[in-house]
Amino acid sequence: MVTGYGAVTPLGHSADATWKAMVAGRSGIDTVEAIDVTDLGVRIGGQVRGFEPGDYMPAAVSRRADPYAQYALAAALEAVEHAALVVTERLAPRISVVIGSGYGPVGSIYRAADRLRARGPRAIGPFTQVTTAMDSSACEISMRLGTQGPCRAQSTACASGSDAVGAGMRMISHGEADVVLAGGADACVTTVDLAGSGNARALSRRNDDPTAACRPFDGQRDGFVMSEGAAVLVLEAAEVAEARGATPLAELTGYGASSDAHHWTAPHPEGRGACLAVEAALRDAGVTGTDVDYVNAHGTGTLLNDATETAVLRRVLGERVTRIPVSSTKSMTGHMIGAAGAVELVASIQALRTGDVPPTINCDDPIDPDINFVAHHTQHHRGLRTALSNSFGFGGHNAALVIRAI
């Protein structure tokens, strides 16, 4: 069961603020201001603006923690509050933390390297080696809340958040934990990452029109938009949630993962790996493509991904895909890499709970006119019971999650 969630995104500093912005069709993409982008070919991104670490953590934590870990901790605190979860001495050993990230604390790594070059070894702090590690966000959450179950990182590029949720689901089903705080975080709107992904021709170059830059499933799409953020969900065994009187928000019923084994940045041309992941998730959930009522697509806005994902959905869901809404919330958030899958799962749960399906903004010329990509505006759909959320990443990583309304 999912009993709570929290988020920090370019659209807002909470899950509720993010959802309201999505339903309103508002873009969080703008010219990057936190770093010098003068010499870069790509100067736009989805930044978390106005975030005050002091609202969520002591100064000692914010000084050592990379922004990606700060976002994750803030999202986890919101999720725990949302779930009304109290970490007691009895429950603590049965609560685990799994946080996914594609890039990890890259900003802190780059800054440490700069300090070393400029000022020498004595300028490197004694916690640098641990706070620049991929598991630092999970550790900050565990230490803050006092959880004593397994605490770990998950890194599978753009599928990291979804894989972390899937791993948490497996831990509960295998009896390793009763409660798992699972999600994803990244803060990779950096000079290095914008330059690298830009040079790979993966990013949109609509520098003069940032809000129109991310165009999933549109005929004029030219790449994804690098963004940052975090989302954490509280997953619980049904009997544990019931015993403590928690309110279930949705049931996480299926998870599937695979590898393309094809190329570092391009999806398999026939979508074989993506098909395997989606089929595995549906099989795990005990449903078929005909049962899916909504798809929150990976939908990055790149030429290859959107075409491949459309073909995969047609293959796995059949004619059902032409009768249900399929949307990409990345059109508004940009691509939050490791956080994407977790944020999009939150959006999928909200769609099931409210019937409001968030739009794919900027989809002026749909690449498949027979599919309802929920272009421009939120649509209300009655009777949504089952949703599929896809995450496909560099390196050929694929993950899919299935959730069911309560």
Side-chain angles (χ1 to χ4, degrees), residues 310-332:
T310 300
V312 167
L313 291 175
R314 276 195 168 275
R315 190 175 311 151
V316 177
L317 304 186
E319 285 303 308
R320 179 69 174 170
V321 77
T322 64
R323 299 196 294 272
I324 62 172
V326 177
S327 70
S328 172
T329 48
K330 286 187 182 71
S331 61
M332 296 172 282

Side-chain angles (χ1 to χ4, degrees), residues 20-235:
K20 287 179 178 177
M22 285 181 177
V23 172
R26 181 165 64 83
S27 174
I29 298 166
D30 206 338
T31 301
V32 173
E33 296 177 345
I35 58 175
D36 184 3
V37 295
T38 305
D39 296 332
L40 298 181
V42 175
R43 300 186 295 278
I44 56 175
Q47 293 185 288
V48 174
R49 298 171 187 268
F51 180 82
E52 294 292 343
D55 293 341
Y56 307 94
M57 65 202 74
V61 175
S62 63
R63 281 197 299 267
R64 73 182 181 226
D66 184 85
Y68 106 106
Q70 295 176 12
Y71 301 155
L73 178 55
L77 293 175
E78 181 191 357
V80 168
E81 181 179 1
H82 188 202
L85 176 66
V86 178
V87 182
T88 64
E89 185 176 351
R90 181 190 63 81
L91 189 57
R94 300 292 298 168
I95 303 178
S96 296
V97 180
V98 185
I99 302 298
S101 183
Y103 291 77
V106 287
S108 293
I109 293 171
Y110 301 152
R111 286 188 290 273
D114 288 342
R115 282 196 302 272
L116 181 64
R117 283 190 293 266
R119 298 163 53 192
R122 293 183 66 83
I124 303 301
F127 290 121
T128 300
Q129 72 276 17
V130 290
T131 58
T132 57
M134 184 68 74
D135 64 342
S136 58
S137 61
C139 291
E140 292 289 4
I141 292 169
S142 178
M143 287 188 285
R144 173 64 178 272
L145 295 174
T147 66
Q148 296 177 317
C151 173
R152 60 188 60 158
Q154 173 82 45
S155 187
T156 48
C158 313
S160 298
S162 292
D163 275 329
V165 172
M169 174 186 175
R170 292 284 185 262
M171 293 174 76
I172 292 174
S173 64
H174 293 165
E176 298 175 22
D178 292 332
V179 180
V180 181
L181 307 181
D186 260 311
C188 45
V189 182
T190 69
T191 304
V192 171
D193 297 300
L194 286 176
S197 294
N199 291 341
R201 299 184 182 278
L203 300 180
S204 171
R205 292 177 177 266
R206 292 176 184 264
N207 293 314
D208 297 330
D209 195 2
T211 61
C214 194
R215 313 181 67 83
F217 305 114
D218 181 70
Q220 300 303 311
R221 66 197 185 281
D222 69 330
F224 75 87
V225 175
M226 188 76 80
S227 295
E228 59 186 5
V232 175
L233 299 92
V234 178
L235 312 180

Side-chain angles (χ1 to χ4, degrees), residues 276-295:
L276 289 173
V278 174
E279 289 168 345
L282 295 174
R283 189 165 56 248
D284 191 41
V287 299
T288 68
T290 59
D291 298 304
V292 175
D293 300 312
Y294 167 57
V295 178

